[in-house]
Amino acid sequence: INNKSQAIFDLIIGADGETGVIRRTLEEEKRQKPGAFQFENYVGYHGTIPETLAPKKVSMLLRNGTDLLCYAPAKSRTNANVMMMPGIRGERHYPFRRIAWTWYRNLSSSLEERTEEINQLFQDKRGRRHKFELPQGLMKPENLKKLHNRARDELPEWLSSLIKATWSPGIFRVRYDMALEAEFDGQVLLVGDALSKAGPHYFFGPFKAVEQVDELERAVRLSSNRTHLIENLRIWSIKVRRLGYVDLAQGQSLGHLHQEHDEPRTGYDQEWSVPQLSAPGRDYGWLPENHRMI
């Protein structure tokens, strides 16, 4: 614990991200090499805004039952997603919800220029450099102005106005990562980004975390004793890691499709491969059936 004291628990759940202390400690104790990050050559700008402050067209679409707005015109090399999310206290009704958006943009194809661009983008307004993600509220004013200008020039008005209305968006490097294990001796579990980092494309992160926690709740509820719980947690670990690899492969395929080429990727890097997994095309048939897309 932060104050160096100790405490004893029956079960610890690590939900503190891929660079969090729980995962780092566990992988170090196992004396294994920590999972390596795999970076892509594009970044994601992101932000949230109260639905009452969003452009009318966006709020009306999301208020009327559409879960996800996707902007991905063919051959544009750009991709943006917008979705409704609960309010800061978990509210699920108007006018307390928030609207979240992510806009993916390619970096320079030149390694030297790309390195300089990353250094510039991930330096906050106080001069501090961030490795993976620049949190919301810390973007330099000059970078914010460039973002607004690019959005105005490259995106439709409803989307650019949403970005401009968002106070100080954040930015992250698109990367893929998988922990060595999801479960350690039936005592410690990893969930969310602490277990796997998939893009994220089409908000894999929230969907992934919900899946993992739902399965975990079921594993605990069905366990009649400690031995049974350990066995169920092991089964849970295998299942969520399999789902994690599917997310990683789909995220890479979608990134490849939108940011690099106009056809789905036919094969994946071996580290993230899933047997018999087909690359998703533009029908987005792999999304949950209750999701409407515009």
Side-chain angles (χ1 to χ4, degrees), residues 5 14 56 153 171 242 277:
S5 62
K56 186 176 181 180
D153 296 339
I171 183 173
R242 183 180 296 128
L277 177 67

Side-chain angles (χ1 to χ4, degrees), residues 12 22 51 86 92 125 130 145 153 175 198 218 256 264:
I12 296 174
I22 294 180
E51 61 178 317
R92 295 177 179 270
K125 57 187 179 183
H130 298 256
K145 185 176 180 180
D153 296 339
R175 60 196 187 277
R218 184 170 179 269
H256 177 89

Side-chain angles (χ1 to χ4, degrees), residues 36-38 40 42 175-177 197-199 201 248 251-252 272:
F37 295 119
Q38 182 172 326
E40 299 292 317
Y42 57 103
R175 60 196 187 277
Y176 298 88
D177 174 57
K197 186 76 173 180
H201 281 280
L248 292 169
Q252 283 193 315
W272 306 131

Side-chain angles (χ1 to χ4, degrees), residues 34-277:
F37 295 119
Q38 182 172 326
F39 292 102
E40 299 292 317
N41 293 330
Y42 57 103
V43 297
Y45 293 92
H46 66 100
T48 56
I49 183 174
E51 61 178 317
T52 53
L53 300 180
K56 186 176 181 180
K57 183 174 182 180
V58 177
S59 59
M60 287 296 292
L61 279 170
L62 293 174
R63 203 183 308 168
N64 292 335
T66 301
D67 291 324
L68 181 64
L69 304 179
C70 171
Y71 177 74
K75 302 182 180 180
S76 66
R77 303 293 184 267
T78 193
N79 172 26
N81 309 299
V82 183
M83 72 178 294
M84 188 74 77
M85 61 185 295
I88 57 176
R89 293 181 177 85
E91 300 95 340
R92 295 177 179 270
H93 57 277
Y94 182 86
F96 301 106
R97 296 169 299 185
R98 295 171 294 167
I99 292 176
W101 58 268
T102 304
W103 180 26
Y104 298 97
R105 291 194 79 255
N106 286 348
L107 297 170
S108 172
S109 57
S110 163
L111 176 60
E112 184 177 347
E113 292 178 0
R114 184 165 65 244
T115 301
E116 177 60 30
E117 191 175 0
I118 289 173
N119 290 338
Q120 198 272 338
L121 286 173
F122 288 86
Q123 183 181 52
D124 65 28
K125 57 187 179 183
R126 300 168 186 155
R128 179 189 171 193
R129 295 191 184 277
H130 298 256
K131 187 174 183 180
F132 300 131
E133 182 166 358
L134 181 70
Q136 296 183 59
L138 295 181
M139 187 177 290
K140 293 191 293 186
E142 56 268 34
N143 286 345
L144 184 59
K145 185 176 180 180
K146 288 180 182 178
L147 173 62
H148 289 166
N149 291 338
R150 286 170 174 167
R152 180 197 63 209
D153 296 339
E154 301 175 20
L155 300 175
E157 190 276 334
W158 64 269
L159 185 52
S160 63
S161 59
L162 174 65
I163 293 174
K164 191 170 182 179
T166 305
W167 177 80
S168 194
I171 183 173
F172 59 86
R173 293 186 68 182
V174 176
R175 60 196 187 277
Y176 298 88
D177 174 57
M178 174 68 79
L180 295 168
E181 297 286 348
E183 171 264 339
F184 295 79
D185 301 324
Q187 296 175 313
V188 184
L189 312 176
L190 298 177
V191 299
D193 288 348
L195 173 58
S196 63
K197 186 76 173 180
H201 281 280
Y202 301 116
F203 298 94
F204 276 148
F207 295 146
K208 170 191 66 183
V210 168
E211 277 185 321
Q212 292 169 358
V213 173
D214 282 349
E215 290 294 330
L216 177 58
E217 187 275 335
R218 184 170 179 269
V220 173
R221 175 167 44 84
L222 295 178
S223 301
S224 57
N225 52 53
R226 177 68 182 173
T227 301
H228 193 194
L229 174 62
I230 292 175
E231 177 60 23
N232 280 345
L233 291 179
R234 190 60 191 164
I235 295 172
W236 170 85
S237 171
I238 295 171
K239 186 169 185 177
V240 297
R241 278 177 58 82
R242 183 180 296 128
L243 290 171
Y245 278 115
V246 171
D247 285 348
L248 292 169
Q250 289 180 332
Q252 283 193 315
S253 178
L254 287 168
H256 177 89
L257 173 65
H258 291 306
Q259 305 300 136
E260 301 176 32
H261 300 280
D262 299 314
E263 296 296 331
R265 180 182 287 185
T266 56
Y268 304 107
D269 293 339
Q270 186 176 1
E271 186 176 359
W272 306 131
S273 63
V274 178
Q276 299 180 341
L277 177 67

